[in-house]
Structure formats: C-alpha cells, structure tokens
Amino acid sequence: MTTPTPTPAATDLRFAYGTNGLTDLRLDDALALLADLGYDGVSLTLDHMHLDPLAPDLDAHTRRVGQRLARLGLTVAIETGARYVLDPRRKHHPTLLDPDAGARAARVDLLVRAVRVAAELGAHAVHCFSGVRPPGTAEDTAWRRLGDALQPVLEAATSAGVPLAVEPEPGHLLADLAGFHRLRRELGDPPALGLTLDIGHCQCLEPAPPADCVRAAAPWIRHAQIEDMRRGVHEHLPFGEGEVDVPPVLEALRAMDYRGLVGVELPRHSHAGPGLARSSLAYLKAAERTAALGGVAC
C-alpha cells in the first residue's frame, strides 16, 4: 500500500483538481500538470480513460498510479461519478436505486472496487451518490434500496479504514443536506459514512449560504468539491462566472480543521482543462489570502 502523505497543519487547505475535467489528457500527463501547477492532490475519477475500475489488471495499474502520485507528491481522493463506465448508453446507470437487483449489484461492485483502490492509494475518502429515483418507484422504497445497497460498501470501507463520502446531488434522491441526514439516521449513523460537500450545489439549492453549510455539516464532511454556480441552476462554472462567495467558504473549511482535499469540479470543461486548472488554483489561492485578511470577496 502507498504510504499516505503526512497530515498538514490545521491552518492549511489542500487544493486538488478533478480528473473528470481533464479527460482529454492521459492520466500521467494530467497528474504531472497538477503537480507542476502546485496542486496538493487530485480528485481521481475512476473511468476508462484514466484508472479503469473494470480493467482486469486493476490492482497492477493502481500500484503504478500510486507510485506516480508518490513521485509527484500528490495526495488523492477517489471519485465514482464517471458517466458511462458501467453502461455505455445511459449516463450514470445503473444506480444504487435501480429496480433490478443485478443492476444495483453492479454499482455496489464498482464502489467496493473504489474502496479497494482508495486503500491502495492512501486516499482520504471515496465519493459516491444515490442516483435519480426511478419512475414508478415509491420514495420510501427508493430510500430502502439505497440503504440496503450501501451496506456492503460501508462494510468494505470500515475494513479498509477509508470513509465513504456520499454527495448530495441536485435531482437525485439524496439531493441535499437534509437527505444526507435522513440516510445517516436510517443507517444508524455508521462511522464509515461521511459527506462529500459540493460548494456549488450548496449555492444551487441549499437554503443557507455555502459557508453556513460548511459550518453546519462540519462533523460529517470527509471530502469537499468546489466550483462556481448560480442559485437554482445546476451548472458547474469556472470561478468568477457564478455567485459563490469563495473566501468565506475557505475560511469555514479552515476553521473546522478540514484535513481532506478541496477539489475543483469542472466535469464539462475538459476542452479547456489545463488552462482552467491553472486559473482555478490562482483564484483559490487569492481567495484564501482574502479570507486570511478578513475579506468577503475576491
């Protein structure tokens, strides 16, 4: 197993960039780019063009990626939001809510594989989401399916010592922080279950400002994603094109002593990935300085 990078000082935030926004680059080139730009880590989406979770040589490939990360000094979070990794014709299918038990099992298997990869790479969390409630499925039935499907994943995460961080996703069954807390309570608050907090999603649909969402969810945050977004519109935007007030968000993460990665999430911008990776880090560093000086805007 790759030795994890030592935990940073409490005042540090560690920034990452998502490989789902660098899909036009080979993984080696994407990792080298992020290291050269000064990122602390990478949010690594398991997908066919980078680290394929269904590859027959997954273990060997994972070891090679771990060696590459170590050479570059990058830490990692594992993301599982690849669009077509399981079904080449239906985006994000099958989900944990699929009416077909065999289809749900395929998603569970993917997540268990992701936990195994995360343990090998010394990742600080594995991300996942619920999926959209299928037509004709009662809400209570969908919640029951979600909880049942997550049980073997949580068992794997517990054994591996890697938190499973569920992301509230607009339009999904588990769409917001209230949904996360419902799941947490229904499962009996298992220690391995945490939260992926996407700051743009907070701007999009949470009643409180994003910085307040960070403070309210602090005990459960295991992974953080960040981008710009507008109220009521689920569109991931480069910084400066939306309405997120970033410095207070970074200050809230720092104040809660958040130790994971803060990963830029721009999955529809791979065509401009290298340039956006550069400008995003510059924006975040400037926002961090503004926050340290007590400012409220970049």
Side-chain angles (χ1 to χ4, degrees):
M1 181 185 295
T2 302
T3 302
T5 300
T7 301
T11 55
D12 292 343
L13 287 177
R14 299 186 298 162
F15 297 117
Y17 199 89
T19 58
N20 62 359
L22 295 169
T23 56
D24 292 304
L25 276 66
R26 298 177 182 86
L27 181 57
D28 276 357
D29 292 337
L31 297 179
L33 168 73
L34 298 182
D36 288 346
L37 290 175
Y39 279 94
D40 303 287
V42 57
S43 299
L44 176 56
T45 295
L46 303 184
D47 207 348
H48 65 88
M49 79 292 291
H50 287 150
L51 182 54
D52 185 351
L54 303 183
D57 59 345
L58 176 60
D59 290 343
H61 194 183
T62 300
R63 285 193 294 272
R64 290 194 294 272
V65 171
Q67 293 164 0
R68 180 70 166 155
L69 290 168
R71 286 195 298 271
L72 293 170
L74 294 172
T75 55
V76 63
I78 297 300
E79 304 226 7
T80 60
R83 292 184 178 95
Y84 296 101
V85 69
L86 293 177
D87 187 327
R89 301 189 181 196
R90 296 187 304 160
K91 187 173 86 168
H92 292 154
H93 277 77
T95 75
L96 297 171
L97 309 178
D98 199 290
D100 182 80
R104 294 197 301 275
R107 176 64 62 174
V108 170
D109 176 69
L110 173 68
L111 295 179
V112 171
R113 287 168 177 257
V115 169
R116 191 174 81 218
V117 169
E120 175 67 31
L121 297 181
H124 72 79
V126 173
H127 149 279
C128 72
F129 49 69
S130 68
V132 176
R133 177 157 60 104
T137 299
E139 185 175 354
D140 286 347
T141 299
W143 281 105
R144 185 167 58 253
R145 282 180 190 161
L146 178 61
D148 290 346
L150 284 176
Q151 291 292 353
V153 187
L154 287 167
E155 290 172 6
T158 299
S159 297
V162 180
L164 182 69
V166 179
E167 179 186 8
E169 183 78 24
H172 283 208
L173 175 72
L174 199 163
D176 53 19
L177 288 173
F180 169 74
H181 288 303
R182 173 175 177 169
L183 176 68
R184 181 177 61 81
R185 288 190 299 268
E186 291 188 357
L187 292 179
D189 206 11
L193 180 67
L195 171 70
T196 293
L197 189 69
D198 187 299
I199 301 304
H201 293 173
C202 294
Q203 179 69 35
C204 178
L205 53 69
E206 294 289 347
D212 287 350
C213 292
V214 171
R215 286 186 280 269
W220 301 280
I221 298 174
R222 301 294 178 265
H223 182 42
Q225 298 171 341
I226 193 166
E227 67 284 314
D228 219 338
M229 201 169 289
R230 300 186 184 98
R231 183 71 179 169
V233 182
H234 184 203
E235 181 182 4
H236 291 235
L237 299 171
F239 295 113
E241 296 185 14
E243 300 167 346
V244 176
D245 191 2
V246 174
V249 170
L250 300 185
E251 176 56 25
L253 287 167
R254 188 208 61 78
M256 64 165 275
D257 197 19
Y258 174 65
R259 301 298 186 99
L261 292 170
V262 182
V264 178
E265 183 80 359
L266 292 172
R268 296 184 180 179
H269 292 77
S270 281
H271 63 284
L276 281 172
R278 180 186 300 277
S279 61
S280 295
L281 185 59
Y283 188 98
L284 289 170
K285 292 290 189 182
E288 193 173 35
R289 291 191 295 271
T290 299
L293 292 172
V296 294
C298 290

